[in-house]
Amino acid sequence: MPEAWRQARSVLLVRLDNLGDVLMCTPALKAVRQALPHARLSLLASPSGAALAPYLPMVDEVLVHEASWVKGPGMSLPAGDPASDEALLTRLRAGRFDAAVIFTTLTQSALPMAMLCRLAGIPLRLAHVRENPYGLLSTWAKERDVLGPGMRHEVQRQLALLCEVGMPAPRDDRLVMALDERHRRDAREALREAGLPAGQPYVLLHPGATAASRRYPAKEFGEVARTLHTAGWACVFCGGPDEQALVHEALGQGQGGALDLSGAWPLGTFAALIEGARLLIGNNSGPMHMAAALGTPVVCLYALTNPQHTPWRVPSRVLYREVPCRDCLQSVCPQAGHGCLRGVEADEVAQAALALLGEHLSGIEAPGVGDEGEARHTSTETA
């Protein structure tokens, strides 16, 4: 590692998109902590990503900024606020950072943040950039990813960025989300109040996603739950307040007593519900990445809007149909049939779930939050 980086004592780590993107960045955050054990690490995140602050033990503080150059949830073109960007510059100057690592996807530009870091007087600035950034970066990691099959997973991309300055990947490169017993206790109570007997295993279904193009039809989730119920599994639906309509549509399929735990849950309680499940069935969304971080196997209905966000280092089944319009990056599917998702039959999802339950979870020693113990899944990890 260059000596200047080795001597850094205050490091800014930038990840300005969504909660799931921050989770996929946690192996890289862990790598920085491993390489610079005495440095103060500050994560700059969006309001969505900053919600993870209590669950990221490798960082010392989380700063919040809604960047004008990064798409926000449900927005096609964020208006931004120049005064907010000016306030961020003032805050960066006051932080007296020695170094900044700017994490982005290949379709995001690191240059606006690089400019702010340069104006703030941060001497070391690292990012992936396709065009020549000249003096905006002190270390230029040339963008080599091309959107499409075979590109690096988001986790690999961020770890490769750190290798540019000699920071090795951590030995354990799984995603990180640290919970405590309080979160698990609250989740157990929520399940009991909803009617799940203490200790009963359950499958969690999450039909939501921020982008409509990533949502498998809610009524098909209901059909999946019906099949799992027939096979003897308790099913629990979850989602935030803005996803309750999707949950209710799924429940309307008459799937046999599935429980509704959608609503305004604290993030830690919601995470503990995921941790305690035998399996999560959901779309490419934040809860899927939370499941990967918490060791819960996943059946993911994966819209082919992009290829690099599949479940990481957790037993999984990724279901989709190949379509000529894949890797479209669209938030709303422009095709009438939405073939990459709607082409997947509900029975195929249910059979994938039952197969994954049978393959990976028969050896569980301690059940999840349905019992008093901490969840432990004994299974083979896959990327």
Side-chain angles (χ1 to χ4, degrees):
M1 187 190 313
E3 188 62 23
W5 280 89
R6 193 185 307 278
Q7 295 299 320
R9 289 296 175 264
S10 183
V11 180
L12 180 69
L13 306 167
V14 182
R15 187 78 213 212
L16 287 167
D17 33 18
N18 295 318
L19 180 147
D21 300 294
V22 173
L23 282 171
M24 286 186 285
C25 209
T26 52
L29 303 184
K30 187 162 42 174
V32 178
R33 171 53 70 203
Q34 175 182 288
L36 302 172
H38 304 299
R40 179 172 184 80
L41 304 185
S42 302
L43 174 64
L44 179 66
S46 70
S48 170
L52 287 167
Y55 315 105
L56 303 178
M58 72 289 286
V59 301
D60 298 294
E61 67 172 346
V62 176
L63 311 176
V64 185
H65 181 67
E66 193 163 11
S68 57
W69 60 90
V70 177
K71 181 181 176 181
M75 300 171 66
S76 57
L77 286 174
D81 182 356
S84 175
D85 293 341
E86 291 172 7
L88 174 61
L89 178 57
T90 299
R91 192 169 192 181
L92 295 180
R93 285 172 172 157
R96 298 184 177 276
F97 295 103
D98 301 312
V101 182
I102 305 166
F103 297 107
T104 60
T105 69
L106 87 162
T107 57
Q108 296 168 342
S109 174
L111 295 182
M113 193 67 221
M115 173 66 81
L116 285 172
C117 289
R118 186 175 188 275
L119 293 174
I122 303 175
L124 301 175
R125 303 174 301 279
L126 169 67
H128 278 117
V129 175
R130 199 171 299 279
E131 64 270 43
N132 194 330
Y134 296 99
L136 291 182
L137 295 175
S138 62
T139 301
W140 173 23
K142 292 185 179 181
E143 180 61 76
R144 67 175 182 83
D145 278 323
V146 176
L147 185 68
M151 69 174 292
R152 291 177 293 186
H153 192 280
E154 190 68 15
V155 171
Q156 296 169 315
R157 172 185 167 81
Q158 310 313 337
L159 291 173
L161 176 63
L162 297 176
C163 286
E164 296 283 339
V165 292
M167 296 188 193
R171 288 182 296 275
D172 181 355
D173 66 355
R174 289 174 294 183
L175 309 189
V176 176
M177 187 175 184
L179 303 182
D180 60 35
E181 186 55 32
R182 170 176 54 89
H183 303 124
R184 300 182 180 103
R185 183 179 62 247
D186 291 345
R188 288 194 292 267
E189 183 60 28
L191 288 165
R192 289 191 186 111
E193 289 184 358
L196 187 74
Q200 181 172 352
Y202 61 96
V203 173
L204 201 60
L205 297 96
H206 177 254
T210 301
S213 60
R214 297 186 182 186
R215 296 181 201 138
Y216 187 63
K219 65 184 182 67
E220 300 298 321
F221 274 95
E223 294 294 338
V224 173
R226 187 204 304 272
T227 301
L228 294 180
H229 176 76
T230 301
W233 284 94
C235 292
V236 178
F237 278 88
C238 65
D242 57 345
E243 295 168 331
Q244 286 183 299
L246 292 171
V247 171
H248 295 161
E249 183 180 350
L251 290 167
Q253 297 306 111
Q255 65 316 87
L259 303 178
D260 180 359
L261 275 178
S262 62
W265 294 102
L267 183 60
T269 304
F270 184 42
L273 289 170
I274 295 174
E275 182 191 51
R278 295 296 190 260
L279 178 74
L280 174 75
I281 304 174
N283 302 305
N284 175 17
S285 63
M288 184 264 284
H289 298 299
M290 291 168 66
L294 296 163
T296 299
V298 176
V299 171
C300 180
L301 283 304
Y302 196 87
L304 294 181
T305 56
N306 58 51
Q308 75 273 32
H309 294 161
T310 51
W312 180 257
R313 300 288 189 229
V314 71
S316 63
R317 296 288 188 276
V318 178
L319 305 180
Y320 56 86
R321 287 288 183 272
E322 278 288 353
V323 288
C325 55
R326 64 168 299 155
D327 308 318
C328 65
L329 300 175
Q330 298 296 311
S331 296
V332 177
C333 179
Q335 305 295 326
H338 202 178
C340 63
L341 282 184
R342 291 182 181 270
V344 180
E345 298 291 337
D347 186 63
E348 181 182 349
V349 181
Q351 295 308 315
L354 291 170
L356 191 54
L357 286 163
E359 285 179 22
H360 293 283
L361 301 180
S362 60
I364 292 176
E365 298 175 356
V369 297
D371 277 355
E372 296 300 317
E374 179 181 348
R376 293 185 180 86
H377 301 310
T378 57
S379 53
T380 303
E381 295 170 356
T382 58

